[in-house]
Each structure stands twice: as structure tokens, then as C-alpha cells.
Amino acid sequence: GLAIATPSLERCWSALVSALEGTPDAERNVQVLCGFLGKVHGRDRSLFERFMDDAMSRPALVRWVPGLQLSAPLDDRACDRLLASMNNPDVPAWVFQYLGYGRASAPVPDVRLAELLERLSIKPDGPAVALDILHMHFFGEDIEATPPLIACARALIARAPVSQRSHGLDHALGGLIKLFLKGDAARPAGQELMGRLREALADYKVSRYDVNDTLKALFATQPLLALDTLIGDGDDGDGYARRSDL
């Protein structure tokens, strides 16, 4: 690779960045940079950090920092960089979806992961991305979450979007509900989500087919609350008839 053969990592980085900056925005691809940075990390850690700091200051690269950062395992410095990127309004929420790929979040301590997800959830379109990252963090793994991440998960679930017709989001939300909405301590989060679900169903913003996994998980983890909140006692006529089909 470039990072192994080049006599000067600095000059090679500069050339790669210049080439990217000269490429139209719609045609930019940072895969070569990711591969280069991965090798740099193994060869010269301090230089890797310098290059990542440089990326943070370049308009052509700043939105790609989340992907570039995953060229190496995530540590505290990486998490600080990701938080700074989340605070940048020019960096859209969707670029952080890479944190859900290939167990990328596995090295991150629960307290730091919770910090990242809570901050991401504030960005426009961030809640759905945060939920997906959290779902992939636990997917297929037998991991016991610590209190900071449990609290974060319940907050994300409580505020989960319910008007988007996304089966991917429904699947992620259903999985997280099964993990985190068991027991009395989870009732407030469940009640908040169910209240918004009830309204969305009544207003035809979603159908039960849009939130099938979510509904199944809610009735499995909080059955009495789900019956009371989502079905009710039938006082509102047509709304009750629609909800009784759940």
C-alpha cells in the first residue's frame, strides 16, 4: 500500500488530500484515504493523529471524519473528534452510520458510547442513526450494558421517530425494546413512546405494518402498559377500532 511504500507519509497525505479537494463534491470517495490512514496508524500513531486533526480543519474532509476515524480502533481521542464532528452543523447525521458497521463501537466504553449517541440524537435526523448504531452494538452479542448506556438506550427509545416509514428503523427499535424496556424502571420510556405511537396510528402517520417489530416488542416487554396505552377502553370510536386491529 501507499503508506508502506512511500518514503514520506506527510507528502503522500498532502497529495491524496489535494487530489480529493480537486474532485467535485458529488464524485468524492475517501476509501483510498481510509486505507492509507489504517496503515499509517500501524506505522506511526502520532502521525495518524496529526492527519486526523488536519482532516478536521479541511472543509473537503470534515464531513468524512467519522468514516476516516474508523481506519483505526476508536479510543478516547477518536471519541473526542467524533463529538466535535457532531457539534459541527455542516456534518450531517447520516455519516455517523459507519459507527454501526463491523462492530466499530465495540472498543468504546459504555459511558463514552452513551455520550456519543446522546449528542448524535440532537442533530437533525440523528435519533434514527443513533438507534441503529446502538442496535448494531448489541446485535448478535451477549453484552451486559452498564447503567449509563441503559439510561441512554431508554431515552433514545422514548424519543424514537414514529412517523418515518422505515423498516430498518422498526427492526432496530424492536430489538432495542426487547433489550431495554423490561421491568418497572423502563415503564416511563415505554409510556412516552407508546403515547406517540398511539397518536401516529390515530392520525394515519404510520400503519401497524410500518411499526410491526416495534409493536410486537412493546407487547412482549410491557404487555399491560401496551394494552392500556395503545388499545385503551374504546371511548374514541373509530380510533379504538383501528387500534384494536393491532
Side-chain angles (χ1 to χ4, degrees), residues 67-89:
L68 295 174
Q69 187 66 68
L70 293 177
S71 303
L74 297 178
D75 57 13
D76 267 348
R77 194 161 177 183
C79 290
D80 288 341
R81 232 176 248 121
L82 291 171
L83 283 170
S85 295
M86 291 172 186
N87 287 329
N88 186 338

Side-chain angles (χ1 to χ4, degrees), residues 44-195:
D44 189 331
R45 174 69 179 274
S46 63
L47 197 55
F48 171 84
E49 301 294 350
R50 278 175 49 197
F51 289 165
M52 286 305 307
D53 289 340
D54 181 47
M56 290 286 291
S57 66
R58 291 179 177 268
L61 284 179
V62 66
R63 70 180 298 178
W64 299 110
V65 163
L68 295 174
Q69 187 66 68
L70 293 177
S71 303
L74 297 178
D75 57 13
D76 267 348
R77 194 161 177 183
C79 290
D80 288 341
R81 232 176 248 121
L82 291 171
L83 283 170
S85 295
M86 291 172 186
N87 287 329
N88 186 338
D90 294 328
V91 181
W94 69 263
V95 301
F96 295 95
Q97 67 187 341
Y98 300 116
L99 297 176
Y101 295 176
R103 300 281 299 144
S105 62
V108 182
D110 280 8
V111 67
R112 294 239 67 185
L113 182 58
E115 184 182 11
L116 288 167
L117 295 176
E118 287 166 359
R119 182 60 193 83
L120 176 58
S121 71
I122 300 172
K123 291 182 75 70
D125 301 319
V129 180
L131 285 164
D132 186 60
I133 293 168
L134 185 60
H135 175 246
M136 294 309 299
H137 181 76
F138 286 96
F139 184 75
E141 300 291 331
D142 186 15
I143 304 172
E144 186 172 344
T146 58
L149 195 55
I150 293 172
C152 171
R154 288 174 177 166
L156 291 175
I157 291 168
R159 302 193 302 266
V162 295
S163 60
Q164 298 179 358
R165 301 184 180 219
S166 169
H167 293 293
L169 174 61
D170 177 43
H171 178 68
L173 187 54
L176 291 172
I177 288 169
K178 291 176 184 176
L179 287 173
F180 294 107
L181 281 200
K182 298 174 183 175
D184 290 342
R187 282 177 60 87
Q191 192 157 25
E192 183 174 344
L193 174 61
M194 289 182 217

